[in-house]
Amino acid sequence: MDLLTEQERRHRSHHASSVAAALHDRGIVAVALTWVDTSGITRTKAVPLERLPHAAAWGVGASPVFDAFLLDDSILSGHFAGGPTGDLRLHPDLARIAPLAALPGWAIAPADRYSQDGAPHPRDPRLLLRRIVDEFAADGFVVRAAIEFEWVVSRTDPADPDAFHPASTAPAYGAAKLVELGGYLRDLLTALRDSGIAVEQIHPEYAVSQFELSIAAADPLATADTAIVVRETIRAAGAAHGLRACFAPMVDVDGVGNGGHIHLSLWADGRNMMAGGSGPFGLTDPGHRFAAGILKHLPGLLAIGCPSMASYLRLRPSHWAGIYACWGLENREAALRFITGADGERADAANFEVKCFDPAANPYLALAGLLIAGRAGLATDLALPKPVAVDPAGLDQHTRDAEGISTLPRTLHDAVAAFEGDPVLYGAFGAELADTISSVRRGEIALFADATPAQIATATRWRF
């Protein structure tokens, strides 16, 4: 990424003036500038609408220390992050500003972080994801990504505010959940529509008081930006109904947890590389190698996509959490589920779903990591192993070994070790960001070193 020049700053200020005028006409009075920290928590600073041109040109000050925040808001001192000194500038991406319809008068904008001299911040995951998307484009490829959002709805209780009080006890996937919470879901969908979000479907999920929402596939950077708008809209729409949204990987230790599945497809010359080929189930050679790269690097990617101690309470066999490092056609127990789509739409619909990731992940880091792994696969002759058509948990260990089916890391400690031992991932993230990711993960491990699973679930329930 290039330095912000004086000419670029003038351009951003001028552009922001026209954007602000349009937002003013929609009743917007302030813009929330957001970024996601290493622990996966969205942080924000806001400016009145009339200050948007200045913020676009010169940024809003923020400490670099946010890179070293743990999920309990304690701060690490690492090799590159932590400490009281230094300053960064938050620059809103004017192309991605959206009215936050669930909070009247507010708009939201993802922020890129630069130093005071206009240099890109080396630990900014959004700038990293932008660069990787550009590298795919230079190679002649486009990636389309989508995220599924799972969350659990709790009723608020002032006498016990941090406990989980299910807003519905209707059956899994039951229509009764829609009946009981239909007003909330209606207002949520309306707010998302008015914020410019294309929702593909919404439905009750398996766990008690749990729902899932899917958005349309888009450019990975736009998808990560949209993820922030969706989550904050879900949160705000619930608050208006006296409800609280929980995005934690595990709400309580007796539940199944929330997933944050990511769908990916690779395209070239307007054609989906996941369909119409001579490989398994119609995969083309580039699509095959892209998926093989992701599968190969999934152990290290868990430190990105399953970044919390709570994540490993969710990763259990036969819970559709994708703990096995394998792939299969429509196999919801495989870490990589291949989806062809219905006959007649496969050229558009075919994609891979990453089943193991959860909502604690920073979406910019998660998508950057997956694209790094996929691009590494494209650069090699890597091949996917034999697809798995059953629940691997039902196979004995000898059969799993013979089929090359291993489990992904079962603890955050093991995931961090896999990340640090993967030169492709560690190198592509860069020394500063990679070291910070490892430091924050090890900080959370130390934070919960003596905690029980129930204590971990309680402590992380409302943090994401």
Side-chain angles (χ1 to χ4, degrees):
M1 303 294 291
D2 296 328
L3 284 169
L4 291 178
T5 63
E6 183 177 348
Q7 181 180 5
E8 173 64 18
R9 292 182 192 275
R10 287 197 302 269
H11 170 74
R12 292 187 179 207
S13 177
H14 179 74
H15 185 193
S17 295
S18 61
V19 170
L23 291 174
H24 178 269
D25 291 343
R26 299 189 62 172
I28 302 300
V29 299
V31 180
L33 279 58
T34 61
W35 72 102
V36 186
D37 71 13
T38 318
S39 291
I41 296 175
T42 301
R43 310 286 180 175
T44 188
K45 285 197 169 188
V47 295
L49 186 60
E50 58 268 22
R51 289 286 292 176
L52 183 61
H54 186 273
W58 299 103
V60 174
S63 171
V65 79
F66 286 105
D67 293 324
F69 267 48
L70 298 184
L71 55 77
D72 69 342
D73 297 335
S74 60
I75 301 172
L76 292 176
S77 292
H79 292 111
F80 298 102
T85 60
D87 188 61
L88 295 174
R89 313 301 294 179
L90 306 172
H91 289 263
D93 186 335
L94 299 172
R96 294 294 303 167
I97 289 180
L100 196 56
L103 285 178
W106 285 89
I108 189 169
D112 295 321
R113 295 184 296 162
Y114 289 82
S115 64
Q116 290 178 327
D117 64 2
H121 179 43
R123 299 193 297 272
D124 188 310
R126 189 172 189 271
L127 291 175
L128 171 67
L129 179 56
R130 185 197 299 274
R131 176 173 61 79
I132 296 168
V133 169
D134 289 345
E135 289 172 353
F136 269 86
D139 292 339
F141 292 109
V142 170
V143 176
R144 297 181 65 192
I147 297 176
E148 295 178 8
F149 300 87
E150 291 182 356
W151 77 101
V152 171
V153 183
S154 175
R155 297 204 178 276
T156 55
D157 181 357
D160 192 10
D162 289 334
F164 170 51
H165 305 283
S168 170
T169 55
Y173 307 103
K177 284 186 184 179
L178 294 181
V179 174
E180 292 176 3
L181 295 173
Y184 159 59
L185 297 172
R186 176 203 63 220
D187 291 350
L188 169 59
L189 288 173
T190 300
L192 288 169
R193 180 200 65 199
D194 292 346
S195 295
I197 305 300
V199 175
E200 295 214 324
Q201 66 174 10
I202 185 170
H203 62 84
E205 251 292 345
Y206 181 86
V208 62
S209 203
Q210 186 182 46
F211 292 88
E212 179 181 302
L213 182 148
S214 301
I215 61 172
D219 164 83
L221 187 64
T223 294
D225 292 338
T226 297
I228 308 307
V229 180
V230 169
R231 185 171 299 197
E232 299 314 313
T233 301
I234 290 171
R235 207 186 313 271
H241 285 261
L243 304 172
R244 197 173 186 185
C246 173
F247 298 97
M250 185 58 68
V251 183
D252 63 71
V253 292
D254 296 322
V256 297
N258 290 315
H261 310 153
I262 296 180
H263 293 255
L264 296 169
S265 57
L266 181 73
W267 295 67
D269 297 324
R271 178 187 167 201
N272 188 356
M273 296 290 101
M274 304 304 179
S278 59
F281 314 119
L283 278 169
T284 68
D285 180 62
H288 189 114
R289 287 184 283 125
F290 177 80
I294 291 173
L295 184 60
K296 176 181 178 180
H297 295 282
L298 264 184
L301 284 170
L302 247 63
I304 307 297
C306 298
S308 173
M309 290 284 283
S311 300
Y312 298 84
L313 304 178
R314 171 183 166 267
L315 293 176
R316 292 178 287 179
S318 301
H319 279 65
W320 292 14
I323 74 163
Y324 290 98
C326 62
W327 77 289
L329 178 65
E330 297 292 4
N331 189 341
R332 291 171 174 81
E333 280 295 331
L336 275 187
R337 171 193 174 203
F338 185 55
I339 302 166
T340 62
D343 286 348
E345 69 165 359
R346 292 182 176 180
D348 292 322
N351 70 91
F352 273 93
E353 178 187 25
V354 182
K355 294 286 294 181
C356 48
F357 283 15
D358 67 52
N362 177 323
Y364 301 100
L365 286 177
L367 284 163
L370 290 169
L371 266 60
I372 288 167
R375 192 160 184 259
L378 283 168
T380 67
D381 292 328
L382 203 60
L384 286 166
K386 178 182 176 182
V388 177
V390 298
D391 180 355
L395 305 174
D396 59 52
Q397 188 62 52
H398 174 76
T399 302
R400 288 201 296 267
D401 289 344
E403 296 291 335
I405 303 170
S406 60
T407 57
L408 292 168
R410 302 300 299 275
T411 67
L412 183 56
H413 177 276
D414 290 345
V416 174
F419 174 68
E420 293 175 338
D422 188 323
V424 169
L425 295 178
Y426 211 83
F429 276 101
E432 289 199 26
L433 182 54
D435 180 85
T436 301
I437 290 168
S438 293
S439 296
V440 168
R441 303 293 177 262
R442 294 190 186 282
E444 183 168 330
I445 292 168
L447 182 68
F448 292 117
D450 299 320
T452 65
Q455 289 171 331
I456 293 171
T458 299
T460 58
R461 183 176 292 143
W462 306 112
R463 300 306 293 172
F464 301 104

